[in-house]
Amino acid sequence: MSKYAVNKFLYQVDGDPSLLAEYKADPAALVARWESEIGPWLGTGARTVEKTSWISLTDAERRALVEHDYVALFEMGAHFFLVLTIFIALYDEEYAARSGPLSFQREYAAKLSAWTGREYPSVAL
């Protein structure tokens, strides 16, 4: 069920400005904290309802999240929209300042261009 954990991480961190800032500043620390303190809870924020023991990341997923390796995350089957939106949130301003609007999105497309015409990795659990 680790695809679920990756997608949950991407969704929760992208949706919380404080977690997103932590992730940008120190990815390894946030990934470790998320996996031990945030990820195991069902529900979000103040609406957490129950702690589980089965939500965990694989070593490869953990490494890709820490290294912001969005190509690897995509190829492991993380949902492409969740991958794209979190990294837009992390990188769009600095890329736009350096290379103009949509420059991160163009890089994302270029790095995933090998998938053009191929079936995307399954996002199914």
Side-chain angles (χ1 to χ4, degrees):
M1 289 301 243
S2 63
K3 260 191 231 183
Y4 174 81
V6 170
N7 288 325
K8 183 177 179 180
F9 175 92
L10 296 169
Y11 177 80
Q12 285 185 320
V13 174
D14 190 30
D16 184 321
S18 64
L19 291 177
L20 191 63
E22 282 184 60
Y23 185 44
K24 187 170 186 174
D26 190 347
L30 189 268
V31 169
R33 185 168 88 79
W34 181 89
E35 195 169 13
S36 67
E37 298 174 16
I38 301 167
W41 287 95
L42 300 177
T44 58
R47 296 166 69 186
T48 56
V49 293
E50 174 180 3
K51 194 170 186 178
T52 69
S53 60
W54 59 268
I55 295 177
S56 64
L57 301 166
T58 67
D59 290 341
E61 291 164 341
R62 198 174 295 110
R63 186 172 38 260
L65 287 168
V66 168
E67 295 173 0
H68 292 181
D69 189 345
Y70 52 86
V71 174
L73 290 167
F74 174 83
E75 290 177 345
M76 285 186 255
H79 194 282
F80 68 92
F81 185 75
L82 295 175
V83 174
L84 176 62
T85 58
I86 193 169
F87 289 105
I88 287 173
L90 291 172
Y91 294 126
D92 193 50
E93 280 186 36
E94 64 192 66
Y95 273 64
R98 184 176 64 238
S99 304
L102 300 176
S103 54
F104 175 76
Q105 291 87 329
R106 286 192 298 271
E107 177 184 291
Y108 182 88
K111 287 189 174 182
L112 294 176
S113 65
W115 287 92
T116 301
R118 294 173 49 200
E119 195 168 314
Y120 286 178
S122 175
V123 297
L125 299 176

